[in-house]
C-alpha cells in the first residue's frame, strides 16, 4: 500500500484566503483573544529605535571619521538614522496604544464548529482519493464511495511522532471538548464490506500525516468493541504515560484489517477540563458494524 508522509487537509482548489483565516481562528479559539502586540514586540520597537540612535550618533560618526569619509555624507547618515529611530519609536508607541484599546472577542464554539466542517470536507475528499488509489478491488467491486456517507470518528491525539504541533484541548461553553490534534477514522459502509481510512491531522497548520486504507469484509470481522481500555503511549515530551480511554476497535481475521481502533474518549482530558466528548458517531458506527456480524 502506498503512503504519503504529509498532505494538506484542504484541497488545492479551496479558497486560500479562507484557509489562512481558518487556521488563525483555530489558534484564537484555543489560545484565547490575546492581543497580537505583545511585550516582545514592544521591546523590539524600543531596541530598534535605540540601535538607530546608537549608530547615528556614535558608531557611524566614529567609524566615518576614522576612515576619513566625507563629513557631509556622515552628517546625512546621522540625520537619516536619527529620523528613522524617531519614526520607529513613534510608530511603535502608536501601535502599542492602538492594541491596548482594542476589544478582543473570543471565537465561539459555533464558529469553531463551522470552520471544522471545512476540514471535515477536506478529509473526506482526501480519504476517497486515497481509498481509490490503494484498495485494489474497489473499482471492480462496483461500490461507489461517493454514494455513501462515511462514519466520521476522531479523537484527541498527542503521540509525538505523528503530529508536529502540541496538542491543545478546550472545553467549550457547551461542555464539549475540542482538540487541535486529531486522529481520524472514516468508515465507508456497503452491503458486504466497509472501507476504512485513517490519518492524523493538525488543525493549526492544516496538514495530515500517515494515511492508511483498509478493506474489511463483514464475514472476516471477529469482533467489534466499544469499551474502556488502558494502555501506554508517548507524549509530545517523549515521556511514556498511561492513557485511559474508551476505544472503538475492529478486529478481523483476514485482509489488512487485523485491528484498527480510535480512542473516542480520553478520561484524563475529561478530568483535566471537566467537559465531555461527543460519542454520537461512535455509537452509530458500533451499532452498524455489530449488526453485520
Amino acid at each position: 500500500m502506498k503512503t504519503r508522509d504529509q498532505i494538506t487537509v484542504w484541497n488545492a482548489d479551496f479558497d486560500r484566503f479562507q484557509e489562512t483565516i481558518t487556521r488563525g481562528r483555530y489558534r484564537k479559539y484555543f489560545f484565547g483573544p490575546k492581543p497580537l502586540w505583545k511585550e516582545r514586540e514592544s521591546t523590539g520597537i524600543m531596541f530598534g529605535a535605540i540601535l538607530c540612535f546608537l549608530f547615528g550618533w556614535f558608531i557611524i560618526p566614529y567609524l566615518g571619521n576614522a576612515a576619513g569619509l566625507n563629513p557631509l555624507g556622515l552628517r546625512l547618515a546621522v540625520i537619516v538614522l536619527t529620523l528613522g529611530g524617531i519614526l520607529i519609536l513613534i510608530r511603535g508607541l502608536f501601535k502599542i496604544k492602538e492594541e491596548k484599546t482594542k476589544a478582543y472577542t473570543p471565537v465561539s464554539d459555533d464558529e469553531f464548529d463551522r470552520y471544522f466542517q471545512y476540514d471535515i470536507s477536506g478529509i473526506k475528499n482526501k480519504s476517497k482519493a486515497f481509498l481509490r488509489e490503494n484498495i485494489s478491488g474497489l473499482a471492480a467491486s462496483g461500490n461507489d464511495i461517493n454514494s455513501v456517507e462515511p462514519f466520521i470518528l476522531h479523537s484527541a491525539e498527542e503521540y509525538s511522532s505523528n503530529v508536529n504541533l502540541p496538542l491543545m484541548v478546550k472545553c467549550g461553553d457547551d461542555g464539549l471538548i475540542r482538540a487541535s490534534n486529531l486522529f481520524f477514522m472514516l468508515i465507508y459502509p456497503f452491503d458486504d464490506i466497509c472501507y476504512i481510512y485513517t490519518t492524523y491531522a493538525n488543525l493549526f497548520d492544516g496538514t495530515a500525516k500517515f494515511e492508511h486504507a483498509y478493506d474489511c469484509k463483514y464475514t472476516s470481522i471477529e469482533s467489534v468493541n466499544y469499551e474502556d481500555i488502558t494502555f501506554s503511549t508517548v507524549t509530545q515530551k517523549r515521556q511514556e504515560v498511561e492513557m485511559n480511554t474508551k476505544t472503538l476497535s475492529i478486529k478481523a481475521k483476514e485482509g489488512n484489517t487485523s485491528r484498527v481502533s480510535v480512542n473516542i474518549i480520553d478520561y484524563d482530558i475529561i478530568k483535566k477540563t471537566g467537559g465531555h466528548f461527543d460519542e454520537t458517531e461512535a455509537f452509530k458506527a458500533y451499532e452498524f458494524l455489530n449488526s453485520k456480524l
Side-chain angles (χ1 to χ4, degrees), residues 49-201:
I50 290 172
L51 280 181
C52 285
F53 296 142
L54 182 63
F55 273 86
W57 295 348
F58 300 103
I59 297 177
I60 295 298
Y62 176 78
L63 294 178
N65 289 328
L69 298 180
N70 189 317
L72 179 59
L74 290 176
R75 284 196 293 272
L76 288 175
V78 169
I79 294 172
V80 169
L81 287 170
T82 301
L83 290 175
I86 293 172
L87 289 175
I88 291 173
L89 186 60
I90 292 174
R91 183 183 181 280
L93 294 174
F94 176 79
K95 188 66 177 177
I96 292 170
K97 180 180 178 181
E98 181 183 54
E99 290 292 332
K100 285 185 176 180
T101 58
K102 281 185 178 179
Y104 293 91
T105 306
V107 175
S108 67
D109 298 330
D110 289 341
E111 186 176 359
F112 176 95
D113 293 341
R114 287 198 302 272
Y115 284 114
F116 189 56
Q117 289 307 309
Y118 289 114
D119 282 342
I120 291 293
S121 297
I123 289 289
K124 285 171 65 175
N125 289 333
K126 299 293 184 183
S127 68
K128 292 175 184 178
F130 194 76
L131 288 168
R132 291 191 185 102
E133 180 182 354
N134 289 278
I135 301 298
S136 57
L138 179 57
S141 70
N143 293 326
D144 180 10
I145 55 177
N146 284 325
S147 67
V148 297
E149 276 298 312
F151 297 104
I152 303 175
L153 314 176
H154 52 78
S155 62
E157 177 58 48
E158 196 176 10
Y159 186 50
S160 62
S161 62
N162 289 327
V163 293
N164 56 2
L165 291 170
L167 170 67
M168 296 291 295
V169 293
K170 179 180 178 181
C171 176
D173 294 334
D174 56 2
L176 185 65
I177 298 171
R178 295 167 177 82
S180 63
N181 291 339
L182 298 167
F183 173 74
F184 278 96
M185 178 191 287
L186 276 66
I187 303 173
Y188 288 85
F190 290 91
D191 290 338
D192 59 346
I193 193 173
C194 66
Y195 303 99
I196 302 173
Y197 168 88
T198 63
T199 190
Y200 296 86

